[in-house]
Amino acid sequence: MTDDYTDELRSEQTYVEGLYTRLDAERTAAKTHYRAALRGNGATLLDRDAEVRTLGKRVQRLDIADNGLCFGRLDSETGEHTYIGRIGLFDEASEFEPLLLDWRAPAARPFYTATAATPEHMRRRRQFHVGDRSVLDFTDEVFGRPGAGERGDAALLAALDAPRGPGMRDIVATIQAEQDRIIRLDHQGVVVIEGGPGTGKTVVALHRVAYLLYTQRERMERHGVLVVGPNPAFLHHIGRVLPSLGETNVVFMTTGDLMPGLHVTAEDTPEAARSKGSREILDVLAAAIADRRRLPADPIPIELSDTTVRLDAEIVGWAADEARASGLPHNTARATFLEVLTWALTERALSRIGRGWLSRNDRDAWENLRADLRAELADNAHFTKVVHDLWPILTPETLLSELLGSRDRLRAAGADPALWRERGDAWTVSDVPLLDELVDLLGPDTPPDDRAERARDAETEYAAGVFDVLVAREDMMDDEDHLFATDLLYAEDLAERFLERDTRAVAERAAADRDWTYRHIVVDEAQELSEMDWRVLMRRCPSHSFTVVGDLAQRRSPAGATSWATMLEPYVPGRWAYRSLTVNYRTPAEIMAVAAAVLADFAPEVGPPDSVRACGVRPWSRQVTADDMPSAIEQFVREEAEHVGTSVVIGPEGVPGAVPPAQTKGLEYDAVLVVEPERILAEGPRGAAELYVALTRATQRLGVLHREPLPRALAGLA
């Protein structure tokens, strides 16, 4: 280590210490303002809540920024230094003098995009290796000086070679140029990011969300962001990336969670999944609803106090036609159906009761009699039951469970017989979009009533006034730390009794509300989503602002995408952008060569991504007997426990200790053992895609255990 390097390192450490001093000062000020906001300062309740939320987020972002606050420096051709970090910090004496530039700011972009060929007026890029609050070392890349000896990819390679932990890490310090172009892409609609295993498409999508929240915070933050992933393990794996970047208004879900109150993980047979995932299932749902409405085979007598009227197929058919013509959902249209029936029966009863003693000129008497008859019909239990039988109130769960559990109902609705199952309400992931669709097709199962809403508004206004009085009392106290316990209890009681304020964070409220609309949605492993899944998501985001991440070559779902256009054109015709990632940052070249042979066998038209590095360890295979398989797996687990990092055993269903390939999508491990690849492949094209997924999870070491001879595609391992 040269004296010049040591002096530079000491200088950088001094500067970073100053940044932390400024960060600590801002955090102290933010917490002081936060505590003051909690006390109210004379503001109204709503204003206080808004200020508390804003300051709370500010404190949280400042706390998160403590880890790896500054990770690099840009030197311009004119000699100016710009430090790049997780957040922006400004000089205390001047709000316009940046001490640290947020990585998302436009001026920070050359840190990720400048090269020797296109330096973007930059002279040097310096990347820090930091620990706690210290700069441990740094690497320089000097632009325009061939042969200078600096390695600009040192930070990237160090990050790639580092052992994997339990969750995905952000790449804010090592974003590459092709990734940065996608992160900052100025496109308001749907952006599709396709890339093979290890290309970083997921983490790029998450950093794009952080960038959008930074540049469009006012527009996006109030409605939040939804991230949809393939399984809970994947969501747990990526769950810390956005919070580590200071963004918390994010909801993480699988497609099985999209209906509040349901958490579904079971899968259908391929035939049932394919049928349920197609848009053609909409015709089945419509027919299933229509099948629940019926005409009476014979006239139905309705006894009133002064006469009996008959409800026949002609009247019911007319009422049903009027209800359908209203265009309203089934349950809502029932009001039209009931109104027509009531009118028709009232007129029939009027003509019988009034015959002989009421003339055409007795208008008041006619109207009074008509009102009495309508009231009597409304209270007639038999009429109410008949209406329910002819046009029943339906819930999504009841309709779908009774449809799927009845061969007769499926046949009547023109559905695929493969949809039948013994327990109709044994929900699968493919049922969730059908249930969601039925919410709109059926409408609410209770009549609207705005009286409760008006009462809540009045109670809110009253309670807010009482809270303002309490705050004023607190402000008049000599010692602000001595608010009486009775006052606190009184305020809490009022909140419970009079005020139904929702104090949950945006993410919590959004996750619990089926009708919540998000400002942006990220869909990972999007090739697995069906046409019906896309209908759900498009309803959740009316602005159609999406970041879509996937790899068509890894598709395993029979209802998934065979092309992006098929899924997206119905919603954003000609208005979606496609970008691809071609560099594999996860899988070393030695392992990718094995996986590429499998890819070439089942998808020869798709080229594998180029690995950016080699690990120096060749993948291995070993043939064992059924009796020796458990001990061989145990040996792998035991040996890997001696290494730093993570490992996993991936295999088909039924292998003890093995995780199915589908459950590892999007995840990465230092070491992977693939068990019985021949059984995985036996599932056909779906199995080949799953084997490809399994082989590309490793970042360092890959082993294969097999009982039968290796499949042809893995012959290179023999």
Side-chain angles (χ1 to χ4, degrees):
M1 185 177 294
T2 66
D3 290 341
D4 288 344
Y5 178 87
T6 302
D7 291 343
E8 277 285 290
L9 183 61
R10 188 180 299 115
S11 174
E12 298 293 23
Q13 176 62 34
T14 300
Y15 190 87
V16 170
E17 287 174 356
L19 292 177
Y20 276 106
T21 299
R22 181 71 188 122
L23 175 68
D24 292 339
E26 287 205 14
R27 183 159 42 206
T28 298
K31 289 181 177 179
T32 299
H33 292 146
Y34 179 74
R35 286 192 291 268
L38 286 174
R39 290 193 295 271
N41 294 335
T44 67
L45 188 64
L46 293 178
D47 289 342
R48 184 180 72 177
D49 278 355
E51 187 176 11
V52 165
R53 288 178 186 274
T54 299
L55 289 170
K57 291 172 185 174
R58 172 68 176 162
V59 170
Q60 189 175 37
R61 288 194 182 99
L62 291 171
D63 284 340
I64 290 169
D66 203 284
N67 181 25
L69 174 63
C70 176
F71 47 76
R73 190 185 91 186
L74 270 176
D75 297 352
S76 70
E77 292 175 343
T78 59
E80 296 172 340
H81 299 333
T82 302
Y83 288 84
I84 313 297
R86 290 184 177 275
I87 64 170
L89 290 175
F90 293 85
D91 188 274
E92 187 174 12
S94 172
E95 295 183 1
F96 305 103
E97 186 64 34
L99 300 175
L100 183 67
L101 198 61
D102 191 298
W103 68 274
R104 293 164 287 197
R109 183 167 189 171
F111 185 78
Y112 303 110
T113 59
T115 65
T118 55
E120 302 187 31
H121 305 293
M122 294 297 146
R123 173 77 174 138
R124 182 198 316 266
R125 172 170 44 230
R126 174 167 291 179
Q127 293 178 294
F128 298 149
H129 177 206
V130 296
D132 294 327
R133 293 188 165 203
S134 301
V135 180
L136 304 179
D137 57 53
F138 64 82
T139 302
D140 279 352
E141 181 180 8
V142 178
F143 304 123
R145 278 192 178 180
E150 291 86 359
R151 287 185 59 200
D153 60 353
L156 171 64
L157 293 175
L160 297 178
D161 287 329
R164 265 44 182 180
M168 180 178 282
R169 299 168 294 183
D170 65 65
I171 59 168
V172 64
T174 57
I175 292 170
Q176 301 302 291
E178 85 167 346
Q179 298 171 330
D180 186 78
R181 283 192 292 271
I182 297 174
I183 290 171
R184 299 174 193 263
L185 182 63
D186 184 17
H187 184 83
Q188 299 299 318
V190 177
V191 175
V192 176
I193 307 172
E194 184 164 26
T199 53
K201 53 188 179 293
T202 296
V203 74
V204 167
L206 296 176
H207 282 69
R208 175 168 170 77
V209 169
Y211 174 75
L212 292 174
L213 283 166
Y214 175 79
T215 57
Q216 305 173 30
R217 187 167 302 281
E218 183 98 8
R219 190 173 72 88
M220 292 187 65
E221 196 169 42
R222 291 178 63 187
H223 288 264
V225 172
L226 172 64
V227 176
V228 179
N231 54 62
F234 173 82
L235 294 178
H236 178 74
H237 178 63
I238 69 170
R240 65 176 295 273
V241 174
L242 283 168
S244 75
L245 297 172
E247 306 301 346
T248 56
N249 285 347
V250 182
V251 178
F252 294 89
M253 290 185 180
T254 67
T255 53
D257 303 326
L258 288 172
M259 278 286 286
L262 285 182
H263 176 67
V264 184
T265 58
E267 293 189 3
D268 270 305
T269 63
E271 294 78 11
R274 186 182 297 108
S275 180
K276 291 179 182 178
S278 168
R279 286 193 194 93
E280 294 176 1
I281 199 70
L282 294 171
D283 295 331
V284 172
L285 296 180
I289 295 172
D291 185 53
R292 303 304 293 269
R293 308 164 185 157
R294 66 182 185 85
L295 299 176
D298 300 305
I300 302 173
I302 306 295
E303 294 185 6
L304 302 176
S305 56
D306 295 322
T307 188
T308 297
V309 290
R310 295 184 179 278
L311 196 60
D312 54 35
E314 183 180 5
I315 291 178
V316 175
W318 172 40
D321 289 343
E322 292 294 321
R324 285 192 294 268
S326 71
L328 297 171
H330 169 84
N331 291 335
T332 311
R334 185 177 185 267
T336 302
F337 179 74
L338 175 60
E339 178 62 27
V340 174
L341 292 184
T342 300
W343 183 89
L345 292 182
T346 299
E347 293 305 310
R348 283 190 174 183
L350 273 173
S351 64
R352 294 182 181 183
I353 297 172
R355 184 183 300 125
W357 66 276
L358 282 177
S359 69
R360 293 184 179 181
N361 296 325
D362 297 327
R363 293 185 179 179
D364 290 343
W366 282 109
E367 290 304 319
N368 290 336
L369 182 56
R370 181 177 283 110
D372 291 342
L373 287 169
R374 290 179 65 87
E376 188 175 355
L377 278 171
D379 292 335
N380 188 299
H382 179 55
F383 178 59
T384 300
K385 181 181 182 303
V386 168
V387 171
H388 179 75
D389 290 342
L390 298 176
W391 193 290
I393 292 290
L394 300 171
T395 66
E397 293 80 4
T398 300
L399 178 75
L400 190 59
S401 65
E402 292 180 353
L403 173 67
L404 299 177
S406 168
R407 288 190 172 92
D408 290 340
R409 290 193 186 278
L410 287 170
R411 190 180 306 111
D416 186 337
L419 298 186
W420 179 85
R421 62 187 178 217
E422 189 170 353
R423 266 194 57 201
D425 61 353
W427 303 125
T428 66
V429 174
S430 303
D431 293 327
V432 174
L434 308 191
L435 291 168
D436 190 77
E437 191 77 36
L438 286 170
V439 171
D440 287 344
L441 292 176
L442 295 177
D445 57 2
T446 55
D449 185 354
D450 63 352
R451 286 175 297 177
E453 187 65 32
R454 291 198 303 271
R456 280 196 297 271
D457 290 343
E459 291 165 358
T460 299
E461 183 178 356
Y462 173 71
V466 175
F467 269 97
D468 288 342
V469 171
L470 288 175
V471 171
R473 287 183 58 189
E474 180 186 356
D475 290 342
M476 290 187 290
M477 295 178 183
D478 293 333
D479 186 348
E480 65 179 5
D481 293 328
H482 288 80
L483 184 64
F484 291 114
T486 54
D487 291 331
L488 289 172
L489 289 173
Y490 184 49
E492 184 176 345
D493 290 342
L494 280 173
E496 289 293 326
R497 181 177 178 185
F498 293 110
L499 190 60
E500 294 185 8
R501 286 189 302 125
D502 196 338
T503 58
R504 295 171 298 172
V506 167
E508 293 178 273
R509 286 184 285 144
D513 185 355
R514 184 262 174 188
D515 293 323
W516 188 276
T517 56
Y518 296 90
R519 190 63 69 184
H520 190 79
I521 295 181
V522 176
V523 186
D524 210 323
E525 300 294 343
Q527 73 277 356
E528 307 298 345
L529 269 62
S530 70
E531 293 175 328
M532 291 300 294
D533 290 325
W534 279 109
R535 286 179 63 86
V536 178
L537 294 179
M538 290 294 173
R539 279 195 289 270
R540 298 292 194 274
C541 185
S543 65
H544 294 171
S545 177
F546 282 77
T547 299
V548 177
V549 178
D551 179 12
L552 295 179
Q554 295 186 56
R555 178 180 67 88
R556 61 180 293 274
S557 169
T562 55
S563 76
W564 300 117
T566 300
M567 297 301 183
L568 299 176
E569 280 293 320
Y571 306 102
V572 284
R575 294 187 293 110
W576 54 281
Y578 175 87
R579 297 293 184 273
S580 63
L581 292 169
T582 59
V583 178
N584 189 330
Y585 299 100
R586 175 207 300 145
T587 316
E590 297 90 340
I591 296 175
M592 197 61 217
V594 176
V598 174
L599 179 65
D601 205 47
F602 81 93
E605 74 283 359
V606 180
D610 297 323
S611 295
V612 77
R613 67 189 176 98
C615 65
V617 180
R618 289 181 59 82
W620 56 269
S621 68
R622 181 174 145 209
Q623 188 169 14
V624 296
T625 64
D627 292 338
D628 290 338
M629 182 69 75
S631 60
I633 294 175
E634 290 175 8
Q635 180 183 352
F636 167 83
V637 174
R638 185 170 58 252
E639 291 176 352
E640 285 303 325
E642 299 175 2
H643 291 277
V644 176
T646 58
S647 63
V648 70
V649 178
I650 304 176
E653 296 285 351
V655 175
V659 180
Q663 295 301 312
T664 65
K665 299 200 77 166
L667 307 182
E668 56 182 31
Y669 306 87
D670 292 279
V672 171
L673 179 67
V674 177
V675 179
E676 299 194 57
E678 64 277 16
R679 283 182 55 195
I680 299 175
L681 272 177
E683 295 190 33
R686 174 177 172 178
E690 293 202 340
L691 180 58
Y692 181 58
V693 168
L695 294 171
T696 53
R697 300 305 97 191
T699 66
Q700 301 291 342
R701 299 175 295 281
L702 171 67
V704 174
L705 291 177
H706 56 105
R707 291 192 300 169
E708 302 298 327
L710 277 175
R712 180 190 61 188
L714 295 179
L717 279 173

